Each structure stands twice: as C-alpha cells, then as structure tokens.
Amino acid sequence: MKKIVLVLLATVFLSHPAAQAADKIRVVATMNTLGEFTQKIMGDEAEIHVVAKLGRDIHFIQPTPKDVLKVKKAEVLVHSGLDLEAWRQPLLNAAGNTDFLGSSEKAVDASQGIELLEVPAILSRSEGDLHIFGNPHYWTDPANAEQMVRNIASGLSRIYPESAARYQANAETLIHQIHTAAADWDRRLAPYKGTAIVTYHKSWPYFAKRFGFDIIGYLEPKPGIPPTAKHLQEIERLIKEKNARMLIKETYNEKRPAEKVTRESGIPLVTLLQFSGDEKTNGYIGMMDENVKRIEEALGGGLRS
Ligand SMILES: [Zn+2]
C-alpha cells in the first residue's frame, strides 16, 4: 500500500509543470536571436530566459532584478561576445554566478570565428564609440547567423557532451533552413547591387557587404552619438552627391532626424528589424525575410520607373 502511494505521489509530482520546469536546463541568452537558435538546438530540455527585450536598443539595455535572478540560477549563458552588450559584465557581476565569471566553460560566445568588420587599430571609447572591438552587429549577414548556430551547438556540446549528436543534428537542420532562405534573399536583392544607402546606426555593414549595398554615411557621427544639425546637413549633401536611394533606421532610433533627412532628400525611410522574436515575423528567418520585403518595396518602384 505504502509503495502504491509513493508511486502515485511520484507520478503527481513528475507531471506537475513546476517539476518539469525544474528538470530543464536553465539558459540565459542575452538577446532573442541567440535564445531562438539555442531553443532550436536544445529543444524542450531548455528553459530560456532572454535579457534584451524586443524593440529596445541592445546597446542600452538595463537588466532588471529578474534578469539578475535568472543569471544567478542559470546553468548556461549564451551571449554575442564583443561589446554589443556593454551591460553583460555588470549583470554577471551582480548575479555573482561563479560559473560565468572569469574564463567560463559554461558561457557560449556566439561570435567565435566570425570575420569582423571595422576593427579599429586603436581600442578607444574616448569619442563615445560603442563598437571598440569591431562592428558587433554581425548576424545581419545570414552566413554569420549560420556560424552563430555552429558556435552555440559546439559550446553546448562541450558543456553537455552526452547530447552532442542531437545538438549537431538540430544545428544542421537550422543551418540548412537559413542557407536556403538566404539564397532567396540573395536572388531578390541582386537587382539592387551597388545601390548607395544611408543608415542611422552602424547596424548594417554586414548586411550591406553580403547583399552588395554601398553605405555612404550614417546619421550618427559615431556609433551611439546622436546626430547633430551640422552632421545631418553633410549627410543630405552626400545623399545628393552619391545618389543614395534609401535611409535605413531601426524601430528604436529617433524618428525626427531620420524624417528630416528623408524629407529634404526625397528618399524613402525604411525601418528594418534587427532582433528576431517579433510574433509577426516568426524568428530570424522571418525577420530577415521581412527586411528583404521592405527593401524591395522601397527600391522596387524606383528601379522600374
Ligand atoms: Zn551598434
């Protein structure tokens, strides 16, 4: 009788959602795209908390007490490396999770092996530059997204070698999906190769290199430094001189300077998505697909006329 009660109790306990959550591997990802890739590689065994909320500028996230608690209890940390998340180290310090401090075996750096653009000769934040190790917005090139998936899968395989084969198989599936979608984006953006464009922040150099856009200027004089009136005039002059055909901003960039420039120059203002996780766009592939669609809409009419 006692045995039956124990078995019943165990069954009730194991089927309880809280018990199931407790069995999962607790992962903290610094941003949505990393969380999404990690979830697709690990599947149901992971419970993933993402720090940077959607629609916010990743450079200026302020982690909450909940984020600190999640990092404190996390078993794995997946981050983007470099200095994109300047708040990352303070968050780790606040959480005091020794697994992630110092040279951490349990932290996965998604930037490994990615060929960085704009690596400066001298590391300096003296002028407010947010990109001192090179440009950290590397996932806007789908080839780099594939490398991120590889990095996450090999990092997780190092931490949980018993699951390595499954992680690698899931990663291969995801890489194949990104690769197939990217071939379609290449085809759709091919007609606009060589088009001169302007962007608000230096978020799109990898995207531009991949798809053949020529970025002739930025609304921010330096990454993270708001545009000045004088700088905007210079950009308007450049747009005319180089025949730039669109201005790209992100959802969280200030509208007014971008609208002023596009109004004066008569070019379209295109808002692109940099972080997956929007329900409507359904993950990294959906997000990039939406970006390609927005560019086609902005430039398509002009080319046909
Ligand atoms: Zn940046």
Side-chain angles (χ1 to χ4, degrees):
M1 184 63 190
K2 224 176 189 178
K3 217 174 187 177
I4 294 169
V5 171
L6 275 179
V7 168
L8 277 175
L9 272 177
T11 313
V12 170
F13 183 70
L14 286 174
S15 61
H16 191 272
Q20 286 177 355
D23 290 341
K24 295 194 178 206
I25 297 173
R26 294 180 301 277
V27 180
V28 167
T30 49
M31 63 174 192
N32 270 310
T33 304
L34 297 175
E36 177 202 335
F37 290 170
T38 306
Q39 185 82 69
K40 284 177 175 161
I41 293 167
M42 297 183 84
D44 284 347
E45 71 175 12
E47 186 195 62
I48 298 175
H49 174 77
V50 175
V51 180
K53 298 294 170 281
L54 196 64
R56 306 281 294 280
D57 186 340
I58 188 100
H59 290 299
F60 302 110
I61 297 293
Q62 288 187 315
T64 63
K66 187 183 175 188
D67 295 323
V68 174
L69 195 66
K70 289 285 185 185
V71 174
K72 199 187 272 282
K73 293 184 169 176
E75 293 159 281
V76 179
L77 173 77
V78 183
H79 64 87
S80 72
L82 310 171
D83 61 347
L84 181 78
E85 303 133 354
W87 40 269
R88 186 174 67 237
Q89 197 55 47
L91 170 62
L92 299 183
N93 293 341
N97 184 335
T98 49
D99 277 351
F100 306 134
L101 298 173
S103 58
S104 175
E105 283 285 302
K106 298 202 168 184
V108 178
D109 177 351
S111 73
Q112 294 293 308
I114 283 172
E115 198 181 316
L116 295 174
L117 300 176
E118 303 169 0
V119 178
I122 303 163
L123 302 188
S124 165
R125 258 187 235 286
S126 59
E127 289 174 84
D129 198 327
L130 293 173
H131 298 167
I132 65 164
F133 302 117
N135 191 302
H137 299 266
Y138 48 80
W139 60 92
T140 54
D141 177 347
N144 290 344
E146 291 176 30
Q147 177 65 23
M148 291 159 78
V149 174
R150 264 181 224 111
N151 288 338
I152 298 170
S154 56
L156 292 169
S157 302
R158 181 190 70 224
I159 304 169
Y160 302 106
E162 66 281 9
S163 302
R166 185 165 52 83
Y167 293 157
Q168 296 301 337
N170 289 343
E172 283 310 316
T173 303
L174 181 52
I175 286 167
H176 179 72
Q177 288 166 347
I178 296 172
H179 206 79
T180 307
D184 180 50
W185 303 328
D186 283 331
R187 183 186 57 74
R188 284 157 63 191
L189 293 179
Y192 314 111
K193 266 211 162 74
T195 300
I197 64 170
V198 174
T199 77
Y200 198 110
H201 180 78
K202 280 191 178 178
S203 297
W204 304 97
Y206 295 91
F207 183 91
K209 189 177 177 211
R210 164 70 181 236
F211 297 108
F213 291 101
D214 179 16
I215 304 179
I216 58 145
Y218 305 92
L219 262 53
E220 290 179 338
K222 291 249 172 203
I225 303 295
T228 58
K230 192 173 163 230
H231 182 71
L232 292 183
Q233 277 175 2
E234 172 60 15
I235 291 294
E236 284 163 22
R237 192 192 61 75
L238 264 179
I239 289 173
K240 285 199 184 76
E241 185 190 305
K242 309 256 185 187
N243 193 25
R245 301 212 17 236
M246 68 175 167
L247 165 59
I248 292 176
K249 73 180 263 298
E250 278 131 282
T251 40
Y252 48 79
N253 291 140
E254 264 208 72
K255 260 189 186 168
R256 278 174 66 183
E259 284 175 349
K260 182 189 172 293
V261 168
T262 48
R263 198 172 49 239
E264 298 285 333
S265 316
I267 62 172
L269 175 58
V270 184
T271 303
L272 295 189
L273 310 166
Q274 208 194 146
F275 305 103
S276 58
D278 186 323
E279 280 173 22
K280 280 178 277 179
T281 53
N282 190 25
Y284 178 82
I285 292 175
M287 172 188 82
M288 291 291 285
D289 206 58
E290 177 66 24
N291 286 339
V292 171
K293 196 176 106 202
R294 289 182 189 185
I295 292 171
E296 283 178 307
E297 281 167 6
L299 296 180
L303 267 197
R304 280 194 295 271
S305 66

